[in-house]
Amino acid sequence: MKRSNKTYYVDIPNTFARNSITNDLSTVSNERAVNQSLYNIIRTTKGSRPFDPEFGCDIDQSMFENMSDISSYQIQRSIREAI
């Protein structure tokens, strides 16, 4: 399968790195941009954004739980709902 070089998704990197040529913020694109966005959504604690209290994921509540089928399901459900 041939990959296309087209840019479909663009985001600002979490490091806020500058482009050395333009001195503007650099960007991440396509798969890297989507992965970064998913990471940011999952790592944002639900209720931490003042004007969007439903944004984020409740995965932190399961951090020190013993892994079982129930806790695994709860983590999966939290991630699915956040996305």
Side-chain angles (χ1 to χ4, degrees):
M1 177 179 220
K2 185 177 178 183
R3 288 186 132 176
S4 173
N5 290 334
K6 293 182 181 179
T7 300
Y8 294 103
Y9 304 102
V10 178
D11 201 2
I12 298 170
N14 289 338
T15 59
F16 293 101
R18 289 179 181 241
N19 183 321
S20 60
I21 298 170
T22 64
N23 205 26
D24 197 4
L25 283 174
S26 61
T27 59
V28 292
S29 59
N30 295 335
E31 291 176 19
R32 194 166 168 207
V34 172
N35 286 338
Q36 177 178 288
S37 295
L38 289 172
Y39 175 82
N40 289 338
I41 291 169
I42 292 168
R43 293 300 303 148
T44 300
T45 305
K46 195 174 240 185
S48 65
R49 297 230 175 143
F51 297 105
D52 194 0
E54 292 299 312
F55 181 82
C57 188
D58 290 331
I59 198 169
D60 290 340
Q61 295 176 357
S62 303
M63 189 177 292
F64 296 106
E65 293 283 328
N66 290 327
M67 285 306 292
S68 66
D69 290 339
I70 293 171
S71 60
S72 174
Y73 173 76
Q74 289 173 336
I75 291 169
Q76 290 175 15
R77 192 184 80 222
S78 293
I79 291 172
R80 223 178 275 122
E81 288 174 2
I83 295 171

